[in-house]
Amino acid sequence: MYILIAGGGKVGANLARVLLGDHKHEVTLIEQRRDRFDRLELEFEHQVILGDATELYVLERAGIARPPDVVAALTGDDEDNLIICQLAKEKYGVQNVIARVNDPRNQAHFDLLGISPTVSATRGLMALIEHEVPEHDLVHLLELRKENLEIVEVQIPQGAPAAGKRVEKLSLPEGSRLISIMRNGRSEIAVGSTELQPGDQVLAILQPGKEDELRRVLLKT
Amino acid sequence: MKALVIGCGRVGSNLALQLDREGWEVTAVDEKEEALGRLGDDWAGGFVLGHGMDIEVLRRAGIEDADAVVVATDGDNTNIVIGQVAQERFDNQCVVVRVLDPARAQFYRERGLRTICPTSVAIDVLLESVRACEVRPAEPTKT
């Protein structure tokens, strides 16, 4: 694969190193800052180029017209990442773009302009913290943006309407399914005959916006 | 008529002042407080401190019922993103975006964003001035 990486900071440089380590991939890294570029050039030689990856001539020098199999926009600037992905997709017909989102508040702009998938370290860390120390009764584990689905985790409380019921007897909201039940450290796939018990950790897949309905069926006491 | 000017530097501030003089109800947005000083002591329009990428800042500045939005911060990419947000999220019909790089200005213009490229304007004006000099071609030297 040919992978074009914009942004040679820690994220971009480490990704380039991993991809090149496999010897299966061709990589071009674009870095704007002279001091960083000089350091990167010692390691990556001709595979790193100096320039602003939002300038068309820089992208073209990096081979964007071929086009690459993947363009990863990983700079520390969300606006730049967004523009790089838009140019890659819409001007050069790149099929796969990946954007780094530094400030999670900017996610809405990426969604609005159709740039996906996105990667946000902050968002990922928040999800992990929530998973480890749930503050809410329903924890978002994974968003499948393209599919318009999300995976959530809930714990069945004592006295919940779903406790003691079989999955097939639940009137789950349309556009939702239970995936698995974790009980006493062991997990099994949720089927119709699976009976829910208080304390069960349940994974569910659903369309965004169905959370409240799911809560009502599984949790409300 | 309400106008929102995002980025209150040399360009934004003078534009805000001129629109204000022409009777618009103007709100300026800038992330630096000093920017307010550029509008002068008599500024009676609005000023919102914050970054134009922040939806809340845009809302506070009244983007939802603005008749015109001018985006003129010092960052091309920032301007292009904010301009698209104003146009596509808030459905603003009159969005004007300053983009210094002629290549990006053209690409986004073709996609339906009203971009203004001061660089291209400067090139045209300079070219015109050179042509207007009417320099006479040198007389062929006699041998």
Side-chain angles (χ1 to χ4, degrees):
Chain A
M1 275 205 290
Y2 177 45
I3 299 145
L4 180 59
I5 302 173
K10 288 217 169 64
V11 179
N14 280 315
L15 180 68
R17 193 172 298 123
V18 172
L19 288 170
L20 288 166
D22 295 350
H23 300 289
K24 282 190 207 118
H25 304 295
E26 189 188 345
V27 173
T28 299
L29 185 57
I30 305 176
E31 171 54 44
Q32 175 169 32
R33 272 170 47 183
R34 181 87 226 184
D35 55 334
R36 266 194 194 155
F37 170 80
D38 288 341
R39 253 180 293 131
L40 291 166
E41 202 185 16
L42 294 176
E43 178 177 356
F44 296 108
E45 299 173 347
H46 63 280
Q47 293 165 116
V48 55
I49 66 171
L50 176 68
D52 174 353
T54 67
E55 295 261 14
L56 306 192
Y57 76 90
V58 173
L59 287 170
E60 282 167 18
R61 206 148 46 85
I64 195 147
R66 286 170 53 177
D69 298 287
V70 180
V71 169
L74 307 179
T75 79
D77 187 302
D78 288 340
E79 293 96 303
D80 287 4
N81 292 342
L82 222 163
I83 298 299
I84 292 162
C85 289
Q86 270 193 322
L87 292 171
K89 265 176 70 172
E90 292 168 31
K91 185 167 175 68
Y92 299 102
V94 175
Q95 294 294 314
N96 302 293
V97 298
I98 301 170
R100 173 182 176 197
V101 179
N102 296 274
D103 181 342
R105 288 174 297 183
N106 287 332
Q107 181 66 49
H109 302 319
F110 288 83
D111 293 344
L112 176 76
L113 301 174
I115 302 302
S116 79
T118 57
V119 178
S120 159
T122 312
R123 200 178 57 213
L125 288 166
M126 278 309 296
L128 279 176
I129 290 170
E130 277 259 294
H131 179 68
E132 294 301 321
V133 191
E135 254 198 40
H136 304 290
D137 50 7
L138 186 146
V139 181
H140 290 255
L141 291 185
L142 187 64
E143 280 171 80
L144 304 161
R145 292 180 175 279
K146 228 185 224 161
E147 292 79 3
N148 193 38
L149 289 169
E150 58 188 21
I151 294 178
V152 301
E153 184 184 68
V154 297
Q155 186 161 13
I156 306 296
Q158 283 289 346
K165 272 194 193 156
R166 287 145 69 104
V167 172
E168 63 203 0
K169 295 286 178 197
L170 300 168
S171 38
L172 291 167
E174 217 178 286
S176 73
R177 286 273 185 292
L178 302 192
I179 303 169
S180 66
I181 314 291
M182 165 97 99
R183 186 180 301 156
N184 303 326
R186 286 177 54 184
S187 167
E188 56 177 273
I189 298 294
V191 292
S193 60
T194 308
E195 194 181 292
L196 296 179
Q197 290 175 12
D200 283 356
Q201 281 184 303
V202 178
L203 289 190
I205 186 160
L206 71 163
Q207 292 164 354
K210 302 278 184 180
E211 294 90 339
D212 282 342
E213 284 179 66
L214 187 73
R215 245 192 215 104
R216 241 187 326 267
V217 175
L218 295 179
L219 302 175
K220 282 275 162 63
T221 48
Chain B
M1 299 280 267
K2 290 181 183 168
L4 196 58
V5 178
I6 299 162
C8 190
R10 250 193 296 270
V11 174
S13 60
N14 281 298
L15 192 99
L17 287 164
Q18 186 58 36
L19 286 171
D20 177 71
R21 278 193 287 270
E22 291 176 14
W24 288 73
E25 201 178 307
V26 183
T27 301
V29 176
D30 202 287
E31 56 178 340
K32 293 196 197 86
E33 209 163 351
E34 306 95 270
L36 180 55
R38 290 206 177 89
L39 297 167
D41 296 337
D42 301 332
W43 179 248
F47 182 81
V48 173
L49 186 66
H51 199 284
M53 287 285 285
D54 187 335
I55 295 292
E56 277 316 304
V57 168
L58 294 178
R59 284 220 170 91
R60 251 187 290 140
I63 195 162
E64 275 148 325
D65 56 347
D67 298 291
V69 179
V70 182
V71 194
T73 79
D74 59 3
D76 274 2
N77 296 331
T78 304
N79 292 347
I80 295 169
V81 175
I82 297 172
Q84 292 182 95
V85 168
Q87 198 161 292
E88 291 178 31
R89 177 168 182 156
F90 293 103
D91 205 25
N92 257 286
Q93 300 302 307
C94 177
V95 179
V96 185
V97 181
R98 179 175 81 145
V99 180
L100 290 176
D101 173 30
R104 262 169 288 170
Q106 191 195 336
F107 174 68
Y108 282 94
R109 191 179 305 126
E110 285 163 8
R111 291 182 84 250
L113 194 65
R114 206 169 309 171
T115 58
I116 301 297
C117 180
T119 314
S120 303
V121 174
I123 293 167
D124 290 347
V125 174
L126 289 168
L127 263 176
E128 274 310 303
S129 308
V130 172
R131 288 183 188 127
C133 286
E134 290 181 32
V135 180
R136 251 169 279 156
E139 301 270 330
T141 43
K142 284 171 193 159
T143 46

